[in-house]
Amino acid sequence: MDTMSVAVAPAQSTSAAGARDSTRDFLAGLPHPIPAEAADTVLLVVSELVTNALRHGGGTCTLDLTAHPDTIEVAVHDSSPQAPRMRTPDLNGRTGGFGWPMVNHLARTTSITPGPSGGKTVRALLPR
């Protein structure tokens, strides 16, 4: 299978719900569909990364999705240079702390790359 990519414009990724809708469309358009469980995992990771970017990265972000033969790559770009970090989850439900550890657990790999003019890109590579 050839690589297939889509870039979701910032206007469409100003909410986690919009990013999930775009991701569902992307996954539905793949020539070789992925299993439902893998699709759910991709949607969960997109939701977490976009939510974190919106909350901590300046209120807007761009989502890029790429299908490789054995993986789905999720890349979220935002304007903050601050990298996600592991922290103790808040069990009282006020400040979170669950998303980044979960993304790292679900993904084959994660990476954080500084942007050429500021900001960063957070990538997660997920099994198909």
Side-chain angles (χ1 to χ4, degrees):
M1 177 181 90
D2 293 332
T3 301
M4 181 177 168
S5 296
V6 65
V8 180
Q12 293 173 293
S13 59
T14 56
S15 74
R20 284 190 303 271
D21 289 344
S22 296
T23 301
R24 278 188 201 93
D25 292 344
F26 171 78
L27 295 173
L30 293 175
H32 301 285
I34 65 173
E37 185 176 333
D40 289 344
T41 299
V42 171
L43 287 165
L44 181 58
V45 168
V46 164
S47 188
E48 286 298 326
L49 292 181
V50 168
T51 296
N52 285 347
L54 294 173
R55 183 176 292 157
H56 306 291
T60 62
C61 65
T62 302
L63 169 65
D64 291 317
L65 301 167
T66 305
H68 302 283
D70 296 323
T71 59
I72 301 291
E73 180 179 346
V74 177
V76 177
H77 318 278
D78 68 49
S79 61
S80 171
Q82 192 71 20
R85 62 181 174 85
M86 297 289 190
R87 60 187 174 96
T88 303
D90 178 2
L91 300 177
N92 295 316
R94 288 186 288 252
T95 62
F98 295 93
W100 185 237
M102 180 180 56
V103 167
N104 280 278
H105 175 75
L106 294 171
R108 284 188 181 169
T109 63
T110 58
S111 66
I112 303 150
T113 308
S117 59
K120 68 181 170 301
T121 299
V122 178
R123 282 188 176 77
L125 202 58
L126 301 159
R128 282 181 70 115

PDB file of all heavy atoms in Angstrom, residues 3-4 20 35 41 46 56-57 59 65 72 78 91 101-102 119 121:
ATOM      1  N   THR A   3       1.728   5.217   0.824  1.00  0.00           N
ATOM      2  CA  THR A   3       1.452   6.100   1.943  1.00  0.00           C
ATOM      3  C   THR A   3       0.323   7.050   1.560  1.00  0.00           C
ATOM      4  O   THR A   3       0.253   7.524   0.443  1.00  0.00           O
ATOM      5  CB  THR A   3       2.724   6.886   2.301  1.00  0.00           C
ATOM      6  OG1 THR A   3       3.740   5.958   2.636  1.00  0.00           O
ATOM      7  CG2 THR A   3       2.497   7.818   3.454  1.00  0.00           C
ATOM      8  N   MET A   4      -0.564   7.320   2.515  1.00  0.00           N
ATOM      9  CA  MET A   4      -1.694   8.229   2.295  1.00  0.00           C
ATOM     10  C   MET A   4      -1.692   9.247   3.419  1.00  0.00           C
ATOM     11  O   MET A   4      -1.576   8.882   4.584  1.00  0.00           O
ATOM     12  CB  MET A   4      -2.997   7.419   2.312  1.00  0.00           C
ATOM     13  CG  MET A   4      -4.233   8.215   2.080  1.00  0.00           C
ATOM     14  SD  MET A   4      -5.652   7.106   2.035  1.00  0.00           S
ATOM     15  CE  MET A   4      -6.978   8.267   2.133  1.00  0.00           C
ATOM     16  N   ARG A  20     -11.576  14.477  15.752  1.00  0.00           N
ATOM     17  CA  ARG A  20     -12.041  13.077  15.686  1.00  0.00           C
ATOM     18  C   ARG A  20     -12.866  12.840  14.425  1.00  0.00           C
ATOM     19  O   ARG A  20     -12.717  11.807  13.767  1.00  0.00           O
ATOM     20  CB  ARG A  20     -12.847  12.713  16.935  1.00  0.00           C
ATOM     21  CG  ARG A  20     -12.002  12.486  18.166  1.00  0.00           C
ATOM     22  CD  ARG A  20     -12.808  11.884  19.306  1.00  0.00           C
ATOM     23  NE  ARG A  20     -13.957  12.690  19.674  1.00  0.00           N
ATOM     24  CZ  ARG A  20     -13.936  13.669  20.578  1.00  0.00           C
ATOM     25  NH1 ARG A  20     -12.816  13.987  21.190  1.00  0.00           N
ATOM     26  NH2 ARG A  20     -15.036  14.331  20.869  1.00  0.00           N
ATOM     27  N   PRO A  35      -8.670  -2.490  11.499  1.00  0.00           N
ATOM     28  CA  PRO A  35      -9.665  -3.070  12.417  1.00  0.00           C
ATOM     29  C   PRO A  35     -10.266  -2.002  13.334  1.00  0.00           C
ATOM     30  O   PRO A  35      -9.628  -0.986  13.640  1.00  0.00           O
ATOM     31  CB  PRO A  35      -8.849  -4.083  13.229  1.00  0.00           C
ATOM     32  CG  PRO A  35      -7.640  -4.378  12.406  1.00  0.00           C
ATOM     33  CD  PRO A  35      -7.364  -3.123  11.627  1.00  0.00           C
ATOM     34  N   THR A  41      -8.267   3.246  18.814  1.00  0.00           N
ATOM     35  CA  THR A  41      -7.014   3.703  19.423  1.00  0.00           C
ATOM     36  C   THR A  41      -6.517   4.973  18.740  1.00  0.00           C
ATOM     37  O   THR A  41      -6.101   5.921  19.412  1.00  0.00           O
ATOM     38  CB  THR A  41      -5.945   2.593  19.357  1.00  0.00           C
ATOM     39  OG1 THR A  41      -6.427   1.455  20.086  1.00  0.00           O
ATOM     40  CG2 THR A  41      -4.627   3.046  19.944  1.00  0.00           C
ATOM     41  N   VAL A  46      -5.656  10.817  18.868  1.00  0.00           N
ATOM     42  CA  VAL A  46      -5.938  12.117  18.252  1.00  0.00           C
ATOM     43  C   VAL A  46      -6.637  13.030  19.255  1.00  0.00           C
ATOM     44  O   VAL A  46      -6.262  14.193  19.432  1.00  0.00           O
ATOM     45  CB  VAL A  46      -6.784  11.957  16.965  1.00  0.00           C
ATOM     46  CG1 VAL A  46      -7.414  13.281  16.542  1.00  0.00           C
ATOM     47  CG2 VAL A  46      -5.937  11.383  15.845  1.00  0.00           C
ATOM     48  N   HIS A  56      -2.808  23.548  26.112  1.00  0.00           N
ATOM     49  CA  HIS A  56      -1.483  24.005  26.544  1.00  0.00           C
ATOM     50  C   HIS A  56      -0.671  24.663  25.435  1.00  0.00           C
ATOM     51  O   HIS A  56       0.406  25.183  25.707  1.00  0.00           O
ATOM     52  CB  HIS A  56      -0.672  22.835  27.100  1.00  0.00           C
ATOM     53  CG  HIS A  56      -1.360  22.083  28.190  1.00  0.00           C
ATOM     54  ND1 HIS A  56      -1.582  22.615  29.441  1.00  0.00           N
ATOM     55  CD2 HIS A  56      -1.901  20.837  28.209  1.00  0.00           C
ATOM     56  CE1 HIS A  56      -2.219  21.716  30.192  1.00  0.00           C
ATOM     57  NE2 HIS A  56      -2.429  20.639  29.469  1.00  0.00           N
ATOM     58  N   GLY A  57      -1.157  24.633  24.194  1.00  0.00           N
ATOM     59  CA  GLY A  57      -0.347  25.095  23.072  1.00  0.00           C
ATOM     60  C   GLY A  57      -0.828  26.333  22.364  1.00  0.00           C
ATOM     61  O   GLY A  57      -0.460  26.573  21.226  1.00  0.00           O
ATOM     62  N   GLY A  59      -4.246  27.356  21.885  1.00  0.00           N
ATOM     63  CA  GLY A  59      -5.632  27.400  21.437  1.00  0.00           C
ATOM     64  C   GLY A  59      -5.909  26.995  20.009  1.00  0.00           C
ATOM     65  O   GLY A  59      -7.058  26.858  19.622  1.00  0.00           O
ATOM     66  N   LEU A  65      -2.389  13.425   9.496  1.00  0.00           N
ATOM     67  CA  LEU A  65      -2.526  11.970   9.602  1.00  0.00           C
ATOM     68  C   LEU A  65      -1.877  11.336   8.383  1.00  0.00           C
ATOM     69  O   LEU A  65      -2.103  11.791   7.261  1.00  0.00           O
ATOM     70  CB  LEU A  65      -4.007  11.578   9.653  1.00  0.00           C
ATOM     71  CG  LEU A  65      -4.807  12.184  10.803  1.00  0.00           C
ATOM     72  CD1 LEU A  65      -6.293  11.991  10.572  1.00  0.00           C
ATOM     73  CD2 LEU A  65      -4.375  11.559  12.123  1.00  0.00           C
ATOM     74  N   ILE A  72      -0.196   3.990  11.514  1.00  0.00           N
ATOM     75  CA  ILE A  72      -0.858   5.271  11.297  1.00  0.00           C
ATOM     76  C   ILE A  72      -0.063   6.289  12.108  1.00  0.00           C
ATOM     77  O   ILE A  72       0.167   6.097  13.304  1.00  0.00           O
ATOM     78  CB  ILE A  72      -2.329   5.265  11.771  1.00  0.00           C
ATOM     79  CG1 ILE A  72      -3.159   4.197  11.070  1.00  0.00           C
ATOM     80  CG2 ILE A  72      -2.948   6.665  11.618  1.00  0.00           C
ATOM     81  CD1 ILE A  72      -3.417   4.434   9.604  1.00  0.00           C
ATOM     82  N   ASP A  78       1.528  22.674  17.269  1.00  0.00           N
ATOM     83  CA  ASP A  78       0.976  23.830  17.982  1.00  0.00           C
ATOM     84  C   ASP A  78       2.059  24.880  18.168  1.00  0.00           C
ATOM     85  O   ASP A  78       3.222  24.652  17.820  1.00  0.00           O
ATOM     86  CB  ASP A  78       0.312  23.420  19.297  1.00  0.00           C
ATOM     87  CG  ASP A  78       1.278  22.912  20.348  1.00  0.00           C
ATOM     88  OD1 ASP A  78       2.308  23.570  20.604  1.00  0.00           O
ATOM     89  OD2 ASP A  78       1.010  21.853  20.931  1.00  0.00           O
ATOM     90  N   LEU A  91      -6.044  12.418  40.752  1.00  0.00           N
ATOM     91  CA  LEU A  91      -7.135  11.468  40.988  1.00  0.00           C
ATOM     92  C   LEU A  91      -8.424  12.144  41.435  1.00  0.00           C
ATOM     93  O   LEU A  91      -9.460  11.500  41.530  1.00  0.00           O
ATOM     94  CB  LEU A  91      -6.699  10.415  42.009  1.00  0.00           C
ATOM     95  CG  LEU A  91      -5.488   9.586  41.585  1.00  0.00           C
ATOM     96  CD1 LEU A  91      -5.097   8.615  42.692  1.00  0.00           C
ATOM     97  CD2 LEU A  91      -5.753   8.845  40.292  1.00  0.00           C
ATOM     98  N   PRO A 101       0.738   9.901  29.426  1.00  0.00           N
ATOM     99  CA  PRO A 101       1.134   8.515  29.698  1.00  0.00           C
ATOM    100  C   PRO A 101       0.340   7.508  28.866  1.00  0.00           C
ATOM    101  O   PRO A 101       0.881   6.515  28.385  1.00  0.00           O
ATOM    102  CB  PRO A 101       0.863   8.335  31.192  1.00  0.00           C
ATOM    103  CG  PRO A 101       0.906   9.713  31.753  1.00  0.00           C
ATOM    104  CD  PRO A 101       0.385  10.608  30.656  1.00  0.00           C
ATOM    105  N   MET A 102      -0.956   7.763  28.678  1.00  0.00           N
ATOM    106  CA  MET A 102      -1.781   6.858  27.890  1.00  0.00           C
ATOM    107  C   MET A 102      -1.321   6.831  26.435  1.00  0.00           C
ATOM    108  O   MET A 102      -1.204   5.762  25.826  1.00  0.00           O
ATOM    109  CB  MET A 102      -3.252   7.268  27.971  1.00  0.00           C
ATOM    110  CG  MET A 102      -4.165   6.366  27.168  1.00  0.00           C
ATOM    111  SD  MET A 102      -5.884   6.841  27.267  1.00  0.00           S
ATOM    112  CE  MET A 102      -5.832   8.520  26.728  1.00  0.00           C
ATOM    113  N   GLY A 119       7.144  26.756  18.404  1.00  0.00           N
ATOM    114  CA  GLY A 119       6.164  25.696  18.570  1.00  0.00           C
ATOM    115  C   GLY A 119       6.805  24.327  18.516  1.00  0.00           C
ATOM    116  O   GLY A 119       8.023  24.185  18.665  1.00  0.00           O
ATOM    117  N   THR A 121       5.963  19.868  17.180  1.00  0.00           N
ATOM    118  CA  THR A 121       5.119  18.816  16.628  1.00  0.00           C
ATOM    119  C   THR A 121       5.240  17.614  17.535  1.00  0.00           C
ATOM    120  O   THR A 121       6.352  17.174  17.850  1.00  0.00           O
ATOM    121  CB  THR A 121       5.551  18.442  15.206  1.00  0.00           C
ATOM    122  OG1 THR A 121       5.425  19.601  14.374  1.00  0.00           O
ATOM    123  CG2 THR A 121       4.690  17.323  14.637  1.00  0.00           C
TER     124      THR A 121
END
